[in-house]
Amino acid sequence: MRAIVQEHYGSTDALRIRDVEQPETAHDEVLVRVRAAGVDRGVWHLMTGRPYPVRLAGYGLRAPKNPVPGMDLAGVVEATGKDVTGFRPGDEVFGVGTGAFAEYARAPQDTLAPKPSNLTFEQAGVVATSGTAALQALRDHGQVEPGQSVLVIGASGGVGTFAVQLAKAGGAEVTAVCSASKVDLVRSLGADRIMDYEREDFADGRRHYDVILDIGGNSSLSRLRRALAPKGRLVIAGGETGGRWLGGTDRQIRARVLSPFVSQTLTTFISRANHDDLMILKRMIEDGKVTPIVDRTYPLSEVPKAIRYLEEGHARGKIAIAA
Ligand SMILES: NC(=O)c1ccc[n+]([C@@H]2O[C@H](COP(=O)([O-])OP(=O)(O)OC[C@H]3O[C@@H](n4cnc5c(N)ncnc54)[C@H](OP(=O)(O)O)[C@@H]3O)[C@@H](O)[C@H]2O)c1
């Protein structure tokens, strides 16, 4: 099968398109004929091996343990391991697997769900990681309730476009921060108020939010806290600095350390895709409450170009790969 292969950590120059063996699946895994895959920051971290703790987290010390990159996918079940009960060959699925930038990928049954019936494969292929991150950030860590005010910083990107829609669907009043060129997009997602970060300061003291979800821009903790209600919850999803050792996570660590000493809750998280949350996203998508936003779609041979576009940090929603 054709696949993108990476034999060492590095830039997109480390990626090659090759013919390789189809992956072998474990008993609880599904072999998926990939129709589309999603590109996100996790892919970039595993390609570069940065920040370095990624390598210690089991992804390979000197080189990627899985030479075929790509995690988010949508496609058709080709075969199932003997312990797989929820899927059969021919089923259309979406979720998270291993080696999604290829014609076939393997995925545990626990990180797959039936594809939303109203989505194309390209739309479905970009949902899992960013959709799950937005859902878990708002529900589990932000504990957002109907009527609360929620500030989403980085509202126009991969996670942000899901977060705005999910927060609105949960009954929150949403203020979204993005660049001027994305205002129309973010308004179309249902945001109640929009701030262009080049012209307005969300921390000018005029408004205080019950929940702040910080996904982009790397604002300092003191600025974020200034915009947060006295008992509010700050959830830091991420923010890239390119640093080799911490890659922007130092803010997250400081937030956790400070939280017990202040009235606000300052937290962070690492999202985990799972079947139940994918089913929640599927239902919300089929009910028309959430629509994945696909900015660009690249063919498999152009994965390096797709990742370079992601690296620029200004995609309108998600980037897809059509296999
Ligand atoms: N914790 C987790 O489990 C988890 C899961 C997924 C992702 N993440 C992390 O979350 C971060 C974002 O991921 P993503 O996939 O959404 O990335 P993305 O698609 O590249 O989006 C980043 C967003 O940041 C915005 N931005 C840039 N400068 C800004 C500023 N000064 N103020 C406000 N917004 C600004 C960009 O908006 P404009 O284009 O409008 O400038 C863009 O929408 C990454 O660091 C990623 O690693 C964490």
Side-chain angles (χ1 to χ4, degrees):
M1 66 168 191
R2 271 156 57 86
I4 296 292
V5 177
Q6 177 189 10
E7 276 154 10
H8 54 87
Y9 289 121
S11 70
T12 51
D13 294 343
L15 305 177
R16 298 276 178 273
I17 186 150
R18 296 239 177 93
D19 284 321
V20 299
E21 295 289 314
Q22 268 184 24
E24 283 180 21
T25 50
H27 294 328
D28 64 344
E29 285 183 333
V30 169
L31 182 68
V32 179
R33 168 78 175 92
V34 180
R35 297 287 305 275
V39 184
D40 65 82
R41 276 283 163 185
V43 162
W44 182 89
H45 290 299
L46 297 185
M47 178 187 82
T48 56
R50 287 187 2 214
Y52 293 143
V54 162
R55 305 183 189 200
L56 301 172
Y59 291 103
L61 269 185
R62 292 181 180 282
K65 205 162 79 181
N66 300 310
V68 180
M71 298 181 293
D72 279 12
L73 54 78
V76 181
V77 173
E78 181 80 10
T80 55
K82 74 175 180 52
D83 296 341
V84 172
T85 51
F87 300 99
R88 286 189 303 195
D91 288 351
E92 295 184 347
V93 293
F94 80 115
V96 174
T98 299
F101 296 162
E103 287 176 306
Y104 294 89
R106 60 191 174 87
Q109 64 172 341
D110 297 347
T111 58
L112 288 178
K115 177 173 104 34
S117 54
N118 55 339
L119 292 191
T120 63
F121 282 105
E122 283 162 27
Q123 289 173 307
V126 303
V127 172
T129 296
S130 298
T132 300
L135 176 67
Q136 294 176 359
L138 294 165
R139 180 194 61 193
D140 305 339
H141 307 284
Q143 300 174 8
V144 174
E145 291 173 12
Q148 283 193 319
S149 55
V150 175
L151 179 72
V152 179
I153 307 171
S156 56
V159 179
T161 47
F162 284 102
V164 170
Q165 297 180 77
L166 287 166
K168 276 308 293 176
E173 188 193 287
V174 178
T175 302
V177 181
C178 63
S179 59
S181 64
K182 314 275 174 62
V183 167
D184 288 348
L185 165 71
V186 174
R187 183 172 294 119
S188 76
L189 303 175
D192 297 288
R193 259 189 310 277
I194 300 171
M195 284 187 186
D196 164 5
Y197 60 73
E198 277 150 1
R199 296 162 59 107
E200 284 179 88
D201 179 8
F202 65 79
D204 62 6
R206 283 196 283 183
R207 281 181 192 276
H208 296 93
Y209 301 90
D210 297 314
V211 177
I212 298 180
L213 174 54
D214 179 21
I215 315 168
N218 294 314
S219 296
S220 68
L221 275 187
S222 55
R223 281 191 73 222
L224 292 163
R225 289 191 57 211
R226 220 179 300 140
L228 194 59
K231 299 260 180 212
R233 301 180 72 87
L234 165 67
V235 182
I236 304 181
E240 300 296 325
T241 61
R244 288 168 187 275
W245 284 98
L246 293 172
T249 55
D250 50 321
R251 245 172 11 124
Q252 280 138 284
I253 296 165
R254 280 186 282 112
R256 278 283 184 88
V257 170
L258 184 62
S259 189
F261 303 102
V262 296
S263 66
Q264 300 158 326
T265 300
L266 316 176
T267 191
T268 184
F269 69 106
I270 295 178
S271 62
R272 301 253 178 260
N274 62 74
H275 177 77
D276 291 348
D277 284 347
L278 292 174
M279 288 302 291
I280 289 173
L281 291 167
K282 168 183 156 63
R283 279 193 286 271
M284 293 184 80
I285 289 167
E286 288 175 344
D287 289 348
K289 293 180 177 152
V290 174
T291 303
I293 307 298
V294 180
D295 177 353
R296 295 186 187 176
T297 301
Y298 294 83
L300 187 60
S301 58
E302 291 186 7
V303 163
K305 212 166 159 183
I307 296 179
R308 283 195 290 275
Y309 182 54
L310 173 89
E311 277 175 332
E312 291 169 16
H314 296 290
R316 298 167 73 85
K318 295 289 305 178
I319 303 163
I321 303 297

